[in-house]
């Protein structure tokens, strides 16, 4: 992959359904991609997110639709030597309380 750099993209998806009992579910995907520039990486992240959009019928016969809400971030990978343990991306936040509400697994709650 000459002239390609590693980038990490954070994609936000929403899962919805017209079913009255369905509660929207959100997911954040962290994607590693290779591109020659940040602009190309941003385009690739958008394309990848749109290709991941899907509608399907769940076990209860409800139509579920997953769609890309937003490309949250695209940044150069912190370390592109993937032959060893590598830091790929770093997030920062100001409120641990908000993070606990956002991330139930932090306190050991299963999804």
């Amino acid at each position: 992959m000459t002239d390609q750099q590693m980038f990490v993209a954070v994609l936000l998806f929403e899962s919805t359904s017209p079913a009255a009992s369905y509660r929207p579910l959100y997911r954040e995907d962290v994607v590693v991609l290779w591109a020659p520039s940040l602009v190309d990486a941003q385009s690739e992240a958008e394309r990848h997110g749109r290709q991941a959009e899907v509608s399907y019928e769940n076990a209860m016969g409800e139509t579920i639709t997953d769609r890309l809400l937003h490309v949250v971030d695209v940044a150069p990978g912190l370390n592109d030597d993937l032959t060893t343990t590598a830091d790929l991306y770093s997030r920062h936040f100001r409120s641990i309380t908000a993070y606990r509400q956002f991330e139930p697994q932090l306190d050991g709650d299963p999804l």
Side-chain angles (χ1 to χ4, degrees):
M1 285 188 219
T2 58
D3 298 330
Q4 300 280 309
Q5 301 177 66
M6 184 182 71
F7 292 89
V8 177
V10 179
L11 309 178
L12 178 63
F13 290 87
E14 178 182 46
S15 178
T16 60
S17 175
S21 64
Y22 189 84
R23 290 177 42 210
L25 180 67
Y26 300 90
R27 92 172 187 259
E28 182 181 69
D29 287 4
V30 178
V31 177
V32 175
L33 53 96
W34 296 86
S37 70
L38 180 58
V39 170
D40 291 324
Q42 290 167 330
S43 294
E44 177 61 20
E46 178 81 21
R47 185 195 63 75
H48 180 82
R50 295 290 174 211
Q51 285 185 332
E53 293 180 330
V54 65
S55 287
Y56 60 93
E57 196 170 286
N58 68 10
M60 297 183 298
E62 301 165 330
T63 299
I64 308 298
T65 301
D66 292 345
R67 70 182 183 98
L68 178 67
L69 278 183
H70 193 69
V71 175
V72 176
D73 193 14
V74 178
L78 297 177
N79 180 347
D80 62 4
D81 178 12
L82 298 180
T83 61
T84 63
T85 301
D87 293 325
L88 297 176
Y89 182 78
S90 180
R91 286 185 73 90
H92 300 85
F93 52 92
R94 298 197 185 279
S95 172
I96 191 66
T97 302
Y99 187 80
R100 285 186 187 285
Q101 290 175 331
F102 165 77
E103 181 50 72
Q105 295 182 89
L106 184 64
D107 291 325
D109 290 345
L111 292 177

